[in-house]
């Protein structure tokens, strides 16, 4: 596979003199990450299925068997390890986690995967809650010490394990190369149409009434209407009619027949996201500012998509987005963003407002309008772009960090209501240091620090964000909702 990283230190560290010097001086030794390619779409080797407490779950075994990896209960050099710790409910039972992984963790192949399955901490059993929360600390620590390009993540399964299949396929594949130390919550699968009262209140007062996105705190339509709407949306998305939780669509082109709109798509991360969605079968509408029209047209043409030159802060932006997508929109990717960096003491009101307008206000306004109008169809996906800066903060970026933290707030609040009333999931990706034209302009020492301050000791690529976005956009990811997934190589910032 061609070397796509612009990181000259990483390339030097792979040479014989580089390996000698980095080892002798104790310098970071970034591994070559195994990323997805058409020639090598899956990991090479066996998937080791282990259990920390109780017997092996047959349903989980069936899901793992569908990942394409050979499932085994013993392996000398596993490509991946899945540890079922959902039954761990006491402090003493945590010994089973150690007993299962201690003998095998050294043998996991380079660029391998470790996925721990947990259960949601119980609000009524503090012993179970303590044991399950302990898994989070364990996973984050193991991710920082395992090395050799290997990743470690925790998946909390709150419903049937079949609902976690798209997540397990993603985390056990080369597509998740730069995702580590993350906790993904799997809830109950959302259907289409209106909900049955699971959405939260529409405003701070908690009173019923229509919110800006067309949702309310009321129960919505009756159970028969809600059931009928969910059934239609589920069948359209490829879910099995027996409600077994098994998605029956084409995993190689899961977005076939769907329409996606990606903002900020002319270049960089946005272009990579558009490419991943097009690869997975979607017709992609590529949106960017009119000033980037030349690059935008090239991107759209290369993908067989459509170009929409548009300032997303325009008053009619949502209406023009809806008109361009014709019969409706299935996937809305909010990737557009700008920076106008200054320390607060030197930041003008214009610099503050421009960043908040593009990065946050436009996201809120267009999402509300597209949901309320029904342009975003049942079974749809909204994926917004947050940032590590919104989690940890960053000097000289009070405006940018505020806008990205606002995205996280939007996701957490809107997700349950959008699912209940519209059958649409809302999630976010939070990139760390990603190798783009923007980060290439960062001063050398700051750029090097950004690259090394994560468990993988290197920057990510736009494709890493794109693959994570494609997973969240997948029709089988209906049980992943309200999540903010960091694509940062397990950054030390905000850890």
């Amino acid at each position: 596979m061609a070397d796509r990283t612009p990181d000259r230190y990483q390339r030097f560290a792979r040479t014989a003199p580089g390996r000698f010097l980095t080892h002798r001086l104790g310098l970071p030794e970034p591994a070559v990450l195994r990323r997805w390619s058409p020639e090598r779409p899956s990991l090479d080797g066996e998937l080791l299925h282990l259990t920390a407490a109780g017997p092996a779950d047959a349903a989980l075994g069936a899901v793992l068997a569908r990942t394409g990896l050979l499932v085994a209960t013993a392996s000398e050099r596993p490509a991946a390890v899945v540890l079922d710790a959902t039954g761990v409910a006491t402090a003493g039972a945590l010994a089973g986690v150690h007993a299962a992984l201690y003998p095998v963790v050294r043998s996991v192949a380079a660029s391998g995967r470790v996925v721990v399955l947990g259960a949601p901490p119980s609000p009524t059993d503090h012993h179970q809650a303590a044991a399950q929360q302990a898994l989070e600390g364990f996973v984050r620590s193991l991710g920082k010490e395992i090395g050799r390009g290997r990743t470690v993540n925790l998946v909390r399964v709150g419903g049937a394990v079949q609902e976690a299949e798209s997540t397990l396929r993603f985390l056990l594949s080369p597509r998740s190369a730069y995702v580590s130390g993350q906790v993904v919550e799997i809830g109950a699968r959302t259907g289409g149409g209106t909900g049955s009262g699971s959405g939260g209140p529409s405003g701070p007062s908690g009173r019923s009434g229509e919110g800006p996105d067309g949702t309310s705190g009321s129960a919505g339509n009756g159970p028969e209407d809600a059931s009928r709407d969910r059934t239609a949306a589920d069948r359209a998305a490829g879910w099995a009619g027996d409600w077994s939780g098994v998605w029956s669509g084409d995993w190689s082109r899961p977005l076939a027949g769907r329409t996606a709109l990606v903002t900020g798509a002319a270049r960089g991360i946005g272009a990579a996201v558009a490419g991943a969605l097009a690869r997975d079968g979607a017709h992609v509408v590529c949106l960017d500012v009119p000033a980037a029209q030349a690059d935008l047209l090239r991107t759209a043409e290369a993908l067989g998509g459509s170009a929409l030159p548009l300032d997303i802060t325009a008053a009619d932006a949502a209406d023009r987005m809806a008109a361009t997508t014709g019969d409706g929109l299935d996937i809305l990717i909010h990737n557009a963003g700008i920076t106008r960096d200054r320390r607060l003491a030197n930041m003008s009101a214009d610099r503050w407002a421009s960043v908040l307008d593009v990065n946050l206000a436009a996201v809120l306004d267009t999402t509300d309008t597209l949901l309320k109008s029904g342009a975003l169809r049942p079974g749809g996906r909204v994926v917004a772009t947050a940032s590590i800066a919104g989690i940890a903060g960053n000097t000289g970026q009070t405006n940018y960090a505020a806008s990205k933290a606002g995205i996280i707030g939007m996701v957490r609040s809107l997700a349950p209501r959008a699912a209940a009333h519209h059958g649409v999931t809302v999630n976010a990706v939070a990139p760390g240091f990603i190798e783009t034209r923007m980060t290439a302009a960062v001063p050398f020492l700051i750029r090097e620090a950004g690259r090394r301050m994560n468990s993988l000791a290197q920057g990510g690529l736009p494709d890493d964000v794109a693959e994570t976005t494609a997973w969240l956009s997948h029709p089988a990811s209906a049980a992943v909702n309200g999540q903010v997934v960091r694509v940062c190589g397990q950054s030390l910032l905000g850890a």
Side-chain angles (χ1 to χ4, degrees):
M1 184 174 61
D3 189 343
R4 293 177 289 164
T5 178
D7 186 346
R8 286 181 287 181
Y9 172 85
Q10 185 179 5
R11 293 198 298 270
F12 170 72
R14 298 174 192 167
T15 66
R19 286 192 295 270
F20 174 79
L21 285 174
T22 54
H23 182 72
R24 287 294 298 269
L25 298 176
L27 298 174
E29 300 178 56
V32 179
L33 301 185
R34 170 73 182 282
R35 291 182 166 92
W36 183 91
S37 69
E39 298 77 22
R40 301 181 68 191
S42 61
L43 299 176
D44 300 324
E46 296 174 314
L47 192 167
L48 190 57
H49 179 191
L50 305 174
T51 303
D57 182 356
L60 173 60
V63 170
L64 297 179
R66 293 194 293 270
T67 62
L69 297 173
L70 179 63
V71 181
T73 55
S75 177
E76 292 185 0
R77 181 66 64 182
V81 177
V82 172
L83 173 64
D84 183 359
T86 54
V88 172
T90 65
L94 288 167
V97 175
H98 175 271
L101 289 179
Y102 170 76
V104 303
V105 69
R106 292 179 186 269
S107 65
V108 177
S111 280
R113 304 286 186 263
V114 176
V115 176
V116 177
L117 294 188
S122 170
T124 59
D125 182 348
H126 55 285
H127 288 263
Q128 186 270 359
Q132 286 296 321
Q133 190 65 36
L135 295 177
E136 185 171 334
F138 171 81
V139 161
R140 295 192 192 279
S141 296
L142 181 57
K144 292 181 177 180
E145 67 186 39
I146 195 168
R148 298 178 62 208
R150 297 174 289 193
T151 66
V152 187
N153 292 286
L154 173 64
V155 178
R156 288 193 178 125
V157 183
V161 72
Q162 292 90 338
E163 310 281 14
E165 183 167 349
S166 73
T167 300
L168 290 173
R169 283 178 178 249
F170 170 69
L171 293 176
L172 295 170
S173 78
R175 300 176 192 265
S176 60
Y178 204 59
V179 177
S180 190
Q182 299 304 291
V183 180
V184 179
E185 308 271 356
I186 305 295
R189 173 164 48 89
T190 62
T194 55
S196 55
S198 59
S202 61
S205 68
R207 295 189 297 268
S208 297
E210 188 175 280
D213 61 320
T215 66
S216 70
S218 63
N221 292 348
E224 292 181 1
D225 292 333
S227 176
R228 182 172 59 251
D229 290 342
R230 284 194 297 271
T231 299
D234 282 339
R235 286 177 177 165
W239 287 98
D242 59 2
W243 316 121
S244 62
V246 177
W247 187 71
S248 58
D250 181 358
W251 286 93
S252 65
R253 287 179 61 81
L255 303 181
R258 296 196 154 209
T259 299
L261 187 148
V262 181
T263 70
R267 61 180 75 94
I269 292 174
V273 170
L277 299 181
R279 176 204 63 198
D280 287 352
H283 172 78
V284 182
V285 178
C286 301
L287 182 153
D288 216 313
V289 292
Q293 184 167 346
D295 287 336
L296 183 66
L297 290 171
R298 278 192 291 270
T299 298
E301 183 178 355
L303 301 176
S306 307
L308 177 58
L310 175 66
D311 181 348
I312 58 170
T313 65
D316 63 344
D319 292 335
R320 291 182 60 186
M321 291 161 72
T324 302
T325 56
D327 294 335
L329 182 63
D330 301 292
I331 300 164
L332 174 61
I333 310 298
H334 286 294
N335 170 75
I338 63 172
T339 57
R340 297 289 185 270
D341 296 351
R342 286 286 190 280
R343 290 177 179 268
L344 183 61
N346 301 320
M347 185 180 294
S348 67
D350 288 344
R351 282 182 175 269
W352 174 273
S354 62
V355 171
L356 271 294
D357 286 347
V358 173
N359 297 4
L360 182 58
V363 173
L364 291 164
D365 292 344
T366 55
T367 301
D368 286 348
T369 300
L370 292 170
L371 282 172
K372 188 173 183 179
S373 68
L376 197 54
R377 293 187 286 212
R381 305 282 180 263
V382 176
V383 183
T385 304
S387 171
I388 289 297
I391 297 170
N394 200 17
T395 299
Q397 289 194 316
T398 52
N399 51 358
Y400 183 77
S403 71
K404 294 305 183 179
I407 292 294
I408 295 172
M410 178 199 79
V411 166
R412 290 174 175 166
S413 174
L414 179 58
R417 290 180 287 114
H421 294 273
H422 300 288
V424 172
T425 63
V426 183
N427 295 286
V429 292
F433 186 97
I434 304 297
E435 303 282 1
T436 63
R437 188 163 65 179
M438 182 177 71
T439 55
V442 172
F444 174 77
L445 291 178
I446 298 175
R447 185 168 70 246
E448 280 302 301
R451 284 170 170 158
R452 309 301 160 217
M453 292 180 64
N454 61 75
S455 297
L456 298 174
Q458 59 192 282
L461 299 179
D463 287 349
D464 298 318
V465 182
E467 296 292 3
T468 307
T469 303
W471 154 56
L472 294 172
S473 302
H474 199 292
S477 296
V480 183
N481 193 31
Q483 305 293 291
V484 178
V485 181
R486 293 168 51 169
V487 187
C488 62
Q490 196 180 12
S491 174
L492 302 182
L493 300 176

